Amino acid sequence: PMLAAIVMAAQLVASATAGKTTYVVGGWLPQDSASISRTLAPIFQDYLSDRVGSKMDPPVKFVFKPVDQDSDTSSRSLIESGGLDMLYSVAGSVACKAAQFSWVPLATQQNILGSSVTGSDALVVFSLLNNSAITRVEDLKGGKLGCGYLYSGATYYEGFQMLLDHGVHMYRDLAQVRFYGADYDAYFGAVLRGDLDAGFVSSSWLSRNAHDVAQLRVHDRQEELRYEGAVFPAPVSRLTESYGLVVSPEMPWQLKRKVLLALEELDASHPSMVALKLAGWTSAANYGATFTALEHSGIVYQSNHSKMCRDPFDREDIWRSITCPHGYYLVDYNTSARQCDLAGLPCPPGVICFCRPCVP
C-alpha cells in the first residue's frame, strides 16, 4: 500500500508538470532591477535555456525576472500564485522558501575573494577607522546602525546575534536601526558621510564593488575562521552561507538534475560569473544553521503548525519579529512608528526604521 501511494503521488506530480514548457527563475541581488537582469539573466535565462531547455523533450525555456525589490515583486507572493519555479537569492531566503513552501535547495555558489575560492560569505560589522568614539562593538550603544535585507545573514540576522554576544541589543541599546533593503550603497555611503555610525555588509559585496576597506574598522575581527576545511580569505566578523538556488518541489527531478549539472559545468570565464566574482557552483550547502539563525532572530516563526517567514517589506511584520530582553517590553506598533520622529531621528524615504522599541 505504501509503495502504491508513492507511485500515485509521483504520477500526480508528473501529470501536474506534464506539458509545462516555461520555467520562471527569480533572482535577487543588492542592485536595481535592471542591473539584476543584466547580471543574472545570461545565466538563468540564456545559458539554462540553451544548455538544458533545448535538450529536453519537449524543449523548455527558462525566463528570468528580478524579485524582492519591493512588495510588488515579492518572491513569496509569486510562489503563492504559482508564478515562480526557481529562486536565486541569499541563504536566508533559500532557507525561508524551504521552510515555508517545502522548496528544495539545489545549488550553492562558490565565491572568488582575492585569490581564493569559498562556498561561504561573511558578515562585516564596520565603522569608520577614524571614528575614535567607536572602537569596540560595545561603543555602538546609543548609535545609529544601517542594515540591508532582512533575509541576509551578512546584512542583518548574523549581525543581530553578534551584537547580542557583546551585550548590545539592537532594539534596546541603539538609538536607531535602519533597514535599507537592497540598497547597500546607500547605507555604506551614509557610514562614510557620518550619517550612520556603523553598518552590516557582506564580504562578497565589498569584493564585487571594489570598495576601499582600508578606511573601515572591522568589529569583532576574525582572522582564522574556517569553512569547509579552509581559512576564509578575508578578515570578517562572522561567516554565513553563500547565495544559492532553491527550486519548486513540483519541478521534475530530471530537470532539477540537469540544471544542477549545467551550473556545475558553467565556465568561470562566463561574463555573468566574472561580474559576480564566481568560481563555480556545487550541490546545495546544508542551510540548517541558517534556518536556526532565522528562528533565533524572529524571522522564522510558527503559525498553525507551519513555519512562516516575516515579510521583509512590511514594517509591521518586522516589528513582530522583535523580542525584547528581560525587563523590557515591545511598544505597540503605532507607538513604534512615531518613536524616531519623537527622538529627532527622521527616517530616510524608502527606509524602514526603528528607534528603541524595547522600553523598560
Side-chain angles (χ1 to χ4, degrees):
M2 183 175 292
L3 179 60
I6 292 173
V7 172
M8 183 175 293
Q11 290 173 339
L12 286 172
V13 170
S15 64
T17 57
K20 186 177 176 73
T21 58
T22 301
Y23 290 85
V24 180
V25 188
W28 184 91
L29 286 170
Q31 302 173 358
D32 60 68
S33 294
S35 298
I36 293 173
S37 290
R38 283 195 300 271
T39 303
L40 297 180
I43 293 177
F44 296 113
Q45 179 170 297
D46 304 338
Y47 175 76
L48 288 183
S49 291
D50 176 63
R51 186 76 173 182
V52 177
S54 65
K55 296 175 176 60
M56 297 295 291
D57 185 19
V60 302
K61 66 178 180 179
F62 296 86
V63 176
F64 178 80
K65 65 164 52 181
V67 298
D68 292 328
Q69 294 295 292
D70 49 38
S71 57
D72 293 333
T73 57
S74 163
S75 59
R76 181 167 77 174
S77 297
L78 287 167
I79 291 171
E80 289 172 340
S81 66
L84 204 63
D85 302 292
M86 305 163 66
L87 174 68
Y88 166 84
S89 192
V90 288
S93 190
V94 170
C96 269
K97 301 306 181 285
Q100 187 167 348
F101 299 108
S102 299
W103 275 37
V104 183
L106 187 68
T108 297
Q109 71 182 31
Q110 302 294 302
N111 301 305
I112 298 174
L113 293 175
S115 59
S116 301
V117 175
T118 177
S120 178
D121 204 344
L123 157 75
V124 178
V125 180
F126 70 98
S127 62
L128 282 180
L129 188 60
N130 63 10
N131 185 353
S132 59
I134 300 178
T135 60
R136 309 173 304 148
V137 173
E138 291 79 3
D139 295 334
L140 293 175
K141 290 182 177 180
K144 296 182 292 182
L145 176 77
C147 305
Y149 185 37
L150 188 73
Y151 292 162
S152 167
T155 66
Y156 176 59
Y157 57 82
E158 290 291 356
F160 172 86
Q161 185 60 52
M162 197 208 84
L163 264 60
L164 276 184
D165 293 344
H166 286 265
V168 180
H169 192 290
M170 286 175 58
Y171 301 108
R172 175 193 65 189
D173 299 320
L174 300 185
Q176 187 177 50
V177 176
R178 299 181 188 171
F179 285 90
Y180 284 78
D183 197 355
Y184 292 9
D185 279 310
Y187 70 90
F188 189 83
V191 174
L192 297 186
R193 294 191 307 273
D195 183 39
L196 288 172
D197 297 296
F200 300 156
V201 76
S202 72
S203 184
S204 63
W205 183 83
L206 286 173
S207 175
R208 282 199 303 270
N209 290 275
H211 282 296
D212 180 14
V213 298
Q215 61 185 317
L216 305 181
R217 185 188 307 277
V218 178
H219 293 277
D220 203 19
R221 186 185 182 107
Q222 307 291 318
E223 302 281 355
E224 296 292 327
L225 292 177
R226 303 183 73 86
Y227 182 82
E228 294 180 341
V231 174
F232 191 78
V236 296
S237 304
R238 188 168 287 197
L239 293 184
T240 69
E241 297 293 351
S242 188
Y243 281 64
L245 182 69
V246 62
V247 303
S248 167
E250 295 187 357
M251 272 187 69
W253 70 267
Q254 300 97 327
L255 186 57
K256 293 177 193 173
R257 180 173 177 272
K258 290 180 184 295
V259 166
L260 175 59
L261 289 174
L263 290 175
E264 290 178 332
E265 294 170 358
L266 190 57
D267 194 310
S269 64
H270 188 282
S272 289
M273 299 285 278
V274 173
L276 288 167
K277 290 199 172 181
L278 298 187
W281 294 80
T282 63
S283 55
N286 182 348
Y287 289 98
T290 297
F291 177 79
T292 300
L294 291 169
E295 284 193 308
H296 287 170
S297 59
I299 297 171
V300 170
Y301 65 101
Q302 191 78 22
S303 176
N304 297 326
H305 308 293
S306 299
K307 296 292 186 182
M308 301 289 288
C309 292
R310 300 294 178 189
D311 185 341
F313 309 108
D314 186 335
R315 187 186 187 280
E316 186 169 1
D317 212 23
I318 298 175
W319 168 81
R320 293 190 189 100
S321 76
I322 299 172
T323 299
C324 294
H326 180 72
Y328 289 76
Y329 74 93
L330 179 63
V331 299
D332 67 80
Y333 176 70
N334 290 330
T335 299
S336 78
R338 298 192 299 268
Q339 284 178 303
C340 289
D341 286 336
L342 292 174
L345 298 170
C347 193
V351 177
I352 294 174
C353 300
F354 294 95
C355 294
R356 288 192 167 122
C358 291
V359 299

